[in-house]
Amino acid sequence: MDEYFLEPTQQAGAQLFSRGLTGEVVMLNLLRFKDIADYAAHPEIAPEAAISGKAAFQKYIDHAQPFLKSSGGELMFMGTGGPFFIGPDHEQWDLVMLVKQRSLADFMAFASNPEYLAGLGHRTAALQDSRLLPIVQSKDGNIE
């Protein structure tokens, strides 16, 4: 049975904060879209006609960008994915993004902003599966 990941768990949140991250945090996003977006959980923001998961995710990006920028964040990279060169054959990602935030606290402020959350349903409608890996830059090029 396939297992899909769309939202963080309480355990994942606790682990993230226990890392004691300081300074900038970059979020590595791996995203797989549904063929047709499913707005069943968010009919209040559903478009009049059916759209693709990719189109729904673009609606999410358009909605989220102003809140990301105002919180000090930046969409550093967005690119088309595909099958792994090294990795499992069964995993394929449609989109890869790197999102930088000044700090974990700034990321959490962004992610909990009620105005931002009002458009989060576009993301939920769009995605079949996702991964989100918070990363911090190594100091002086050394493995820590």
Side-chain angles (χ1 to χ4, degrees), residues 9-32:
T9 64
Q10 279 190 316
Q11 180 183 4
Q15 287 174 335
L16 175 59
F17 283 100
S18 71
R19 290 176 62 186
L21 302 179
T22 59
E24 291 182 343
V25 176
V26 175
M27 298 292 188
L28 168 64
N29 293 258
L30 301 175
L31 306 161
R32 185 176 314 125

Side-chain angles (χ1 to χ4, degrees), residues 54-90:
K54 183 178 179 179
F57 198 79
Q58 185 62 56
K59 287 182 175 291
Y60 165 73
I61 292 291
D62 294 344
H63 172 80
Q65 279 280 57
F67 302 106
L68 180 64
K69 288 179 183 176
S70 70
S71 70
E74 170 191 1
L75 177 57
M76 297 174 57
F77 176 87
M78 183 166 38
T80 303
F84 281 107
F85 184 54
I86 298 175
D89 292 338
H90 67 279

